């Protein structure tokens, strides 16, 4: 593999990316050239929605080619185009052969939710201070504990549950994890004493992943499609995205039992008012936690 690296301004990102794709690049990626500096810009978007911007003020574009000849031919054609005038060539290098399994595993290390509560991949030993552990490897379904939205939900669960089986101190009760993904929130609820857990998702692969992950963590829960939901719950968790959360407002609130809690995540800080407005006919949402531009919103019935 050969990697061609280019620098371009924001208004050239889409054009240059499309051109590289047309010139048989195996993959094209765009990164903030100022990442990890004071000039770094945070850009967030949602699937199915227009991106906030095509790129960053200084975007680094990397294209992979199967051979050096193909990469050089693509570069020569690009340099002849008018739109390339504001772009720079950063380099062309051969990528060394790698153990991709080991490389992928190295990117997933134990994640601390609280000092005693950790998410640990199966190829790692738990940290010495970890008293409550969820064993979870990256898979087809979203949710490994590395994303701020997942961490905030798990922190909320840890704060309101009980890890020592003391039901009197447990405020989770019956739990619904709506849009369960890997099942990590449902498993977390089980670890913190939830009495009855339903984990549902519209994706069959997510349901299967949840079942397998629950078995691997020796916890009991019910996993299925959304039509498996029945009755009301003391805790309703939904870590999805702002747009579906707004659509699901009446359904999710209808599942919250008197005295119960609604916990929503997958929301950007700038989307707080949209969510409050969508849920205003049913409840008063408040921001309960925030991390890296994302927020956790909750309401009590």
């Amino acid at each position: 593999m050969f990697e061609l690296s280019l620098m371009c301004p924001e208004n050239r990102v889409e054009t240059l990316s499309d051109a590289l794709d047309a010139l048989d690049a195996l993959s094209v990626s765009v990164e903030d050239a100022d990442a990890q500096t004071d000039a770094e810009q945070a850009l967030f978007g949602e699937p199915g929605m227009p991106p906030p911007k095509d790129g960053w003020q200084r975007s680094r574009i990397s294209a992979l080619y199967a051979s050096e000849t193909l990469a050089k031919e693509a570069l020569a054609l690009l340099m002849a185009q008018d739109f390339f005038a504001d772009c720079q060539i950063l380099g062309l290098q051969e990528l060394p052969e790698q153990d991709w399994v080991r490389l992928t595993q190295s990117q997933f290390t134990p994640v601390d939710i609280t000092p005693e509560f950790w998410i640990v991949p199966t190829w790692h030993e738990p940290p010495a201070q970890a008293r409550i552990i969820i064993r979870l490897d990256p898979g087809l379904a979203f949710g490994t504990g590395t994303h701020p939205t997942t961490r905030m939900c798990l922190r909320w669960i840890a704060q309101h549950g009980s890890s020592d089986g003391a039901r009197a101190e447990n405020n989770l009760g019956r739990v619904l994890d709506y849009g369960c993904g890997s099942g990590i929130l449902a498993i977390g609820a089980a670890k913190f004493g939830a009495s009855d857990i339903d984990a549902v998702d519209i994706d069959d692969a997510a349901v299967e992943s949840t079942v397998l992950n629950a078995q691997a963590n020796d916890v009991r829960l019910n996993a299925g499609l959304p039509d498996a939901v029945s009755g009301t719950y003391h805790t309703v968790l939904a870590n999805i995205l702002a747009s579906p959360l707004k659509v699901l407002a009446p359904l999710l609130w209808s599942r919250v039992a008197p005295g119960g809690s609604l916990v929503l995540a997958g929301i950007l800080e700038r989307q707080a008012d949209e969510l409050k407005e969508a849920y205003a006919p049913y409840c008063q949402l408040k921001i309960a936690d925030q991390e890296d531009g994302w927020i956790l919103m909750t309401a009590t019935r």
Side-chain angles (χ1 to χ4, degrees):
M1 293 285 187
F2 286 80
E3 182 182 58
L4 174 61
S5 298
L6 307 167
M7 180 87 76
C8 75
E10 179 188 326
N11 63 351
R12 292 284 190 258
V13 169
E14 184 175 7
T15 302
L16 186 54
S17 297
D18 288 346
L20 286 163
D21 187 52
L23 292 169
D24 298 324
L26 298 174
S27 71
V28 179
S29 61
V30 184
E31 300 176 345
D32 185 359
D34 296 312
Q36 310 302 320
T37 72
D38 292 340
E40 180 179 7
Q41 294 177 292
L43 295 181
F44 298 105
E46 290 191 18
M49 300 293 287
K53 290 183 178 181
D54 290 329
W56 292 266
Q57 290 180 359
R58 291 181 353 113
S59 293
R60 177 191 175 100
I61 297 185
S62 299
L64 287 183
Y65 281 91
S67 70
E68 185 176 17
T69 299
L70 288 173
K72 287 182 175 180
E73 288 177 353
L75 181 57
L77 288 169
L78 287 173
M79 292 175 64
Q81 308 304 314
D82 292 340
F83 63 76
F84 197 75
D86 296 327
C87 303
Q88 297 174 256
I89 303 167
L90 297 179
L92 174 62
Q93 63 175 343
E94 183 177 7
L95 298 181
E97 290 291 331
Q98 300 199 54
D99 182 338
W100 294 107
V101 172
R102 187 178 296 277
L103 178 62
T104 300
Q105 289 181 344
S106 72
Q107 296 171 351
F108 291 90
T109 57
V111 177
D112 61 314
I113 305 303
T114 72
E116 296 183 333
F117 179 25
W118 288 70
I119 314 300
V120 185
T122 55
W123 53 82
H124 278 281
E125 287 297 317
Q129 67 270 38
R131 191 167 62 87
I132 305 116
I133 298 166
I134 295 179
R135 285 288 194 180
L136 201 68
D137 296 339
L140 294 177
F142 173 81
T144 59
T146 59
H147 196 276
T149 61
T150 308
R151 288 199 300 270
M152 287 189 292
C153 287
L154 290 171
R155 275 201 298 266
W156 189 94
I157 289 170
Q159 291 165 0
H160 292 79
S162 171
S163 61
D164 58 8
R167 296 289 181 189
E169 298 177 6
N170 193 313
N171 295 318
L172 297 177
R174 187 174 187 231
V175 173
L176 171 63
D177 179 3
Y178 198 97
C180 57
S182 67
I184 188 171
L185 301 186
I187 294 168
K191 294 281 186 177
F192 280 88
S195 57
D196 183 13
I197 305 164
D198 286 342
V200 301
D201 202 292
I202 60 174
D203 186 347
D204 289 328
V207 174
E208 181 181 359
S209 178
T210 295
V211 170
L212 294 175
N213 287 329
Q215 292 172 351
N217 283 277
D218 196 26
V219 301
R220 297 182 62 182
L221 52 79
N222 308 305
L225 299 175
D227 57 10
V229 174
S230 64
T232 58
Y233 302 79
H234 195 74
T235 302
V236 175
L237 304 160
N239 180 19
I240 317 177
L241 287 170
S243 295
L245 284 176
K246 289 189 288 185
V247 174
L248 291 168
L251 184 151
L252 293 176
W253 185 247
S254 71
R255 295 300 179 181
V256 181
S261 297
L262 177 65
V263 182
L264 306 178
I267 308 162
L268 296 168
E269 287 179 352
R270 59 179 169 81
Q271 296 171 323
D273 289 341
E274 297 175 39
L275 267 293
K276 288 180 180 179
E277 182 179 351
Y279 281 79
Y282 317 102
C283 61
Q284 185 175 358
L285 284 179
K286 64 178 182 180
I287 299 175
D289 201 353
Q290 54 189 20
E291 183 179 337
D292 293 343
W294 298 88
I295 57 175
L296 182 79
M297 304 190 79
T298 63
T300 302
R301 195 174 190 106

